[in-house]
Amino acid sequence: MKHIQRTVALLLVLASVLGLTACSNQNDAKKTTDPQAAFQALLTQLEYDTELKDVGDSGAMYFPDLPEGATVKMYAGSGYYADKVALITVSQESEVEAAMNSVKTHVQQLRSQFQSYIPEEVPKIDNAVIWQQGTAIILCISPDYQKAQSVIDGAEALGTQPTETTQPTEETAQPTEETTQPTDPTAEVPASYPTLTSKSGTYSFRSPIFQVDDSGFDGFRYIEKSTQEYADIVNKIAENLKGTTKVYALPVPTSIGIVLPDDIRAQMKDYADQGEAIASLMSMLSEDVVGVDCYDNLMQHRDEYLYFKTDHHWTARGAYYAYEAFCKAKGVNPYTLEQRESVDFTGFRGSLTQYMDISSDVSDTITAYYPYFRNATMTFTDKNGTKIDWPIINDVSDYGAAMKYSTFAAGDNPFTEFHNPGVTDGSVCIVVKESFGCALMPFLVDHYSTIYEIDYRYWDGSLTEFAKEVGADEMIFANNTMRLNEGLVAGDLNRIA
C-alpha cells in the first residue's frame, strides 16, 4: 500500500512562555497537503463558538511585519471570541520564517488582550494550531483544536515534494522570568517633568510584564507600520465625514510610558519612548483630524496616582488629565475634579496581579468621579443585544477584586448611549474606544447632549454610515498606544470603518 506523506506542523502556544512548540508528522510518501483545501476544511469541519466572517482586506493588518507581497485570507468571529482561521501566503520560501514570526507575534498579542478582558478565551489561544507548508501558513484558533490536525490530514493532497517544518525562532520567545542589572542610561526624562525613582533600583520580567517594586507594567514597542495603518484609517474616516463630523485622535499612553521610574527607564536599553511614538502618530494624521496629545499633561503630573499598580489601566485621575488635553484641543473649559463628587472603592487587584510577585495585601484603590451633571444617564447594549439602563459610575463595593474597574461606564460593551439633559444644544459625539476609554466617559459626557460609545472590538457596523445616520458633530478615537502598535486596533477598525 502506497504511503502518503504530509508535512504537518502543529504549534501549541504555551501560556507560561508565550512561545510555540513545534511537532511534525512525516511519513515516507511524497504528496503534500493543498493549503487552500486545508484552509477550507478547517473552516467547514471544525466547531467554533461564533460565526466566522471574511474580514476582507483587514486581514493583513493583524499580522505585524509580514514580508512585502504576503497575502492574508482570514475569517474571524465576534470580538468576544478568539476564534479564527487565517491563510498567509508569502512570495518565496526564504520569507517563511519572517511570516511565521509575525503569526506567532499576533497570537501572543491576542493572548495578552484576551487575558486582560475575556480570560475564558485564553485556553483556545494557548492551543492555537499553526500549520506551515511551502510558502503557506495556516493559523486556526478553535475550541475544537484537537480535531484540527486530522482535518488538515484529511484535506485534498496535491504536489509531489515534501516541505520542511518551520521551527519557532529564539527571537520571538520571551523569558518566563528575568532580573536585569543596571546599565548606562540611554533615556532621560526632561527636567520640566517630576522625577520618579524606584525603591529597589531593579526590575524583573515575568512574561508579559515588568515589575518594579509593587507595580506592574505592560511592555511597549513602537511599530511604524501599524501606527501608519491606524492613522490611515482615521484619516480616511475623517475624509469621508469632512464637513459634517470633526474627527479627533486621542492616543492614550500606558503606564510604562508615563510612571515607570526614571532609574529603571535608564536601565532598559530597548526602551521605546511613548512621547516620541505619539509625536510620530500625530505627524501621520491628515489636516482633517485634530490630534490630541495628552502625553505632556500626564508627564507634568506623573508623580500623582495616574495608573494602577496591579492593573494595566489608568486611574480616573490619569483619564482626567487626558480629558483636560482634549478640552484644550476642543476649545472648551474642563470641569475640574474639585467640581465633581467622588467615591472610593478599595481592594482592587487587577489584570497584572497574576504575573506579579507581591503580597496578598497589595491592592489599588479606585477613586471614581461622577459627571458634573449628575442627572446624565446611560444605557448599554450587551453582546446579546440586550439594552440595560446603568449608572455612569456604579457601586462596585461588593464586586470581586478583579472586577472593580467596571465602575466606569459599565466596562466594555459593544455599544453605549449617554444622554445629558444639562447640555441643551443637541450636540452628538461618537467615542471609539477600548477599555481605557471607559474612565474617560464620565468626563466627556459633560460636554454633549448625546454620546454614542462604540467598542471597536465588539461592535458590528459602519462608523461612517452611523455618524451620518445620527448626525454626529464629533468623533473621538481614544485608543491606547500599546494596542495601536500591535495591529489589532487597525485590523478591527478597518473592519468597521
Side-chain angles (χ1 to χ4, degrees), residues 18-41:
L18 292 180
L20 296 166
T21 308
C23 301
S24 62
N25 183 15
Q26 300 186 3
N27 297 318
D28 295 326
K30 296 183 178 180
K31 287 189 177 181
T32 58
T33 300
D34 175 17
Q36 290 285 351
F39 178 69
Q40 291 298 325

Side-chain angles (χ1 to χ4, degrees), residues 31-53:
K31 287 189 177 181
T32 58
T33 300
D34 175 17
Q36 290 285 351
F39 178 69
Q40 291 298 325
L42 290 171
L43 274 174
T44 57
Q45 296 180 31
L46 290 190
E47 293 184 2
Y48 298 92
D49 288 332
T50 182
E51 179 185 359
L52 301 187
K53 297 180 181 179

Side-chain angles (χ1 to χ4, degrees), residues 80-132:
Y80 283 99
Y81 301 92
D83 304 50
K84 67 179 58 181
V85 182
L87 171 61
I88 298 96
T89 307
V90 295
S91 302
Q92 49 194 354
E93 290 197 24
S94 61
E95 298 173 335
V96 167
E97 182 176 354
M100 183 69 80
N101 290 339
S102 179
V103 172
K104 290 185 285 187
T105 296
H106 170 72
V107 174
Q108 292 171 356
Q109 293 172 349
L110 196 70
R111 188 186 194 280
S112 175
Q113 176 171 292
F114 275 95
Q115 181 64 53
S116 297
Y117 302 115
I118 311 178
E120 54 268 30
E121 289 293 293
V122 169
K124 286 190 289 191
I125 303 172
D126 286 346
N127 290 285
V129 172
I130 302 177
W131 176 91
Q132 179 269 325

Side-chain angles (χ1 to χ4, degrees), residues 8 16 34 42 49 110 117 123 141 145 152 154 168 202 209 264 266 292 308 387 391 409 426 444 459 465:
V8 178
S16 62
D34 175 17
L42 290 171
D49 288 332
L110 196 70
Y117 302 115
I141 299 179
Y145 61 87
I152 294 173
T202 62
I209 73 161
I264 302 301
V292 181
F308 297 113
K387 292 186 176 183
L444 294 177
W459 185 74
E465 294 305 316

Side-chain angles (χ1 to χ4, degrees), residues 106-413:
H106 170 72
V107 174
Q108 292 171 356
Q109 293 172 349
L110 196 70
R111 188 186 194 280
S112 175
Q113 176 171 292
F114 275 95
Q115 181 64 53
S116 297
Y117 302 115
I118 311 178
E120 54 268 30
E121 289 293 293
V122 169
K124 286 190 289 191
I125 303 172
D126 286 346
N127 290 285
V129 172
I130 302 177
W131 176 91
Q132 179 269 325
Q133 179 175 275
T135 58
I137 299 171
I138 289 178
L139 167 65
C140 178
I141 299 179
S142 163
D144 204 12
Y145 61 87
Q146 291 179 324
K147 185 180 176 182
Q149 183 172 352
S150 62
V151 168
I152 294 173
D153 286 347
E156 179 183 0
L158 297 175
T160 59
Q161 296 298 322
T163 60
E164 296 182 359
T165 300
T166 299
Q167 301 292 337
T169 61
E170 291 295 328
E171 293 86 50
T172 60
Q174 296 190 42
T176 55
E177 187 166 357
E178 173 185 331
T179 301
T180 66
Q181 298 299 322
T183 61
D184 291 335
T186 59
E188 295 183 0
V189 176
S192 59
Y193 298 139
T195 298
L196 301 182
T197 305
S198 68
K199 295 178 181 178
S200 62
T202 62
Y203 69 94
S204 62
F205 177 74
R206 179 175 296 169
S207 183
I209 73 161
F210 300 92
Q211 182 175 339
V212 181
D213 301 329
D214 289 338
S215 296
F217 299 86
D218 270 318
F220 172 78
R221 67 174 183 144
Y222 173 69
I223 302 176
E224 184 177 9
K225 180 182 177 182
S226 296
T227 301
Q228 184 66 65
E229 288 176 339
Y230 174 82
D232 289 346
I233 295 168
V234 175
N235 290 342
K236 185 64 176 179
I237 293 173
E239 180 184 353
N240 292 339
L241 296 174
K242 189 173 183 177
T244 59
T245 305
K246 179 180 286 189
V247 174
Y248 295 85
L250 196 172
V252 175
T254 58
S255 61
I256 198 169
I258 302 294
V259 297
L260 184 73
D262 300 329
D263 57 327
I264 302 301
R265 179 177 180 174
Q267 294 176 38
M268 294 183 175
K269 62 181 179 180
D270 296 323
Y271 181 84
D273 188 285
Q274 290 196 25
E276 295 176 2
I278 290 172
S280 177
L281 171 61
M282 294 296 167
S283 71
M284 298 173 182
L285 298 174
S286 72
E287 61 182 12
D288 298 325
V289 180
V290 179
V292 181
D293 188 346
C294 64
Y295 177 82
D296 181 71
N297 203 30
L298 285 163
M299 287 294 287
Q300 294 286 354
H301 297 274
R302 66 194 297 254
D303 55 349
E304 300 175 27
Y305 189 28
L306 304 186
Y307 294 84
F308 297 113
K309 296 180 296 184
T310 67
D311 192 74
H312 64 288
H313 294 109
W314 55 5
T315 65
R317 180 172 288 272
Y320 174 79
Y321 290 125
Y323 156 76
E324 271 193 338
F326 171 74
C327 287
K328 181 177 180 180
K330 181 177 168 64
V332 298
N333 293 322
Y335 292 94
T336 66
L337 293 179
E338 290 72 26
Q339 290 178 286
R340 302 167 182 271
E341 297 180 49
S342 65
V343 60
D344 290 340
F345 303 107
T346 59
F348 176 45
R349 287 170 63 89
S351 62
L352 305 183
T353 309
Q354 61 187 308
Y355 307 111
M356 298 174 66
D357 181 16
I358 53 176
S359 63
S360 58
D361 61 348
V362 173
S363 64
D364 285 288
T365 294
I366 295 178
T367 298
Y369 294 90
Y370 293 96
Y372 175 79
F373 292 97
R374 287 296 302 270
N375 57 347
T377 62
M378 64 167 276
T379 301
F380 71 86
T381 302
D382 67 14
K383 65 179 181 179
N384 299 316
T386 303
K387 292 186 176 183
I388 302 171
D389 294 332
W390 204 256
I392 295 174
I393 298 297
N394 186 44
D395 185 349
V396 294
S397 302
D398 296 329
Y399 281 35
M403 300 299 295
K404 294 180 184 290
Y405 185 77
S406 62
T407 184
F408 302 112
D412 296 324
N413 292 285

